Amino acid sequence: MASTTSAHQILARAEMDMSDEALPAELWEIIERYRVDLLNQGYAILGNMADAEEVAQETFCEAFQHREKLAAVESLGAWLRTINHANALNRMRARQRTAKKESRRILEAPGRQMTTGGFSVLEIREAVAKAIETLPPGEREAVVLHYWEHLNYDQIAQRLKI
């Protein structure tokens, strides 16, 4: 069977000799035999096939790095599923930590959130404030009352006595 990118990565992580450009047949047999089970397990935990594939690859890398354990294991499938389960949970926890950090960052610095134009909310507020300062005093007051104090036109007219 031809060597794939995944096989190259497995070989590199397992520090095996890549001079022959082929994964040993017994390791291909292990991959072929357990790959679908590991993908299904990873998908069940992560809900994402791309992540499940990465986790399965990590599992094979770990297994091939510890070839002495691989040879001594009574139930290879159970051992691989245990490693795969731990890897999937680690990936899920890492994703959750990243999401928490991102939401915390957004909550702590709302003025730094970007708008669709690539400007932060803070930059837009500053630009609008500078533009309002250039208005004549009567117009400036009307704009501030309407957009900042959310008054309707009748309330603005009453407040400005016009």
Side-chain angles (χ1 to χ4, degrees):
M1 188 174 281
S3 188
T4 64
T5 303
S6 296
H8 282 286
Q9 290 174 352
I10 291 168
L11 289 167
R13 287 187 183 169
E15 298 175 3
M16 298 170 72
D17 181 20
M18 290 184 58
S19 60
D20 64 354
E21 292 293 320
L23 190 62
E26 67 272 3
L27 299 183
W28 271 115
E29 290 172 18
I30 292 170
I31 291 172
E32 291 300 319
R33 183 170 180 195
Y34 295 103
R35 182 178 175 275
V36 173
D37 288 343
L38 298 181
L39 287 174
N40 288 335
Q41 181 188 40
Y43 183 78
I45 294 169
L46 298 164
N48 178 317
M49 189 51 78
D51 284 343
E53 288 173 352
E54 296 237 351
V55 165
Q57 182 175 331
E58 290 171 15
T59 298
F60 287 124
C61 288
E62 286 181 39
F64 297 163
Q65 282 177 336
H66 303 287
R67 290 178 62 184
E68 69 285 350
K69 289 182 185 177
L70 190 72
V73 168
E74 285 185 33
S75 175
L76 181 58
W79 185 64
L80 289 172
R81 283 189 295 278
T82 300
I83 295 169
N84 198 62
H85 185 263
N87 288 341
L89 290 178
N90 288 341
R91 183 170 291 258
M92 183 178 63
R93 288 181 194 120
R95 201 176 1 173
Q96 289 170 342
R97 280 191 303 272
T98 301
K100 282 181 184 178
K101 285 179 186 177
E102 180 65 20
S103 64
R104 196 170 35 235
R105 185 188 62 79
I106 289 171
L107 289 174
E108 289 173 355
R112 292 189 178 149
Q113 294 175 0
M114 299 309 255
T115 63
T116 56
F119 297 99
S120 72
V121 174
L122 194 57
E123 290 170 326
I124 291 174
R125 285 181 188 161
E126 288 175 6
V128 170
K130 286 180 183 177
I132 290 173
E133 288 175 11
T134 65
L135 293 172
E139 292 175 20
R140 182 182 326 131
E141 195 171 1
V143 168
V144 169
L145 290 173
H146 181 71
Y147 289 101
W148 270 262
E149 295 188 27
H150 306 290
L151 299 180
N152 63 34
Y153 298 121
D154 293 331
Q155 293 169 324
I156 294 169
Q158 285 178 346
R159 173 95 51 98
L160 297 177
K161 296 178 181 147
I162 53 173

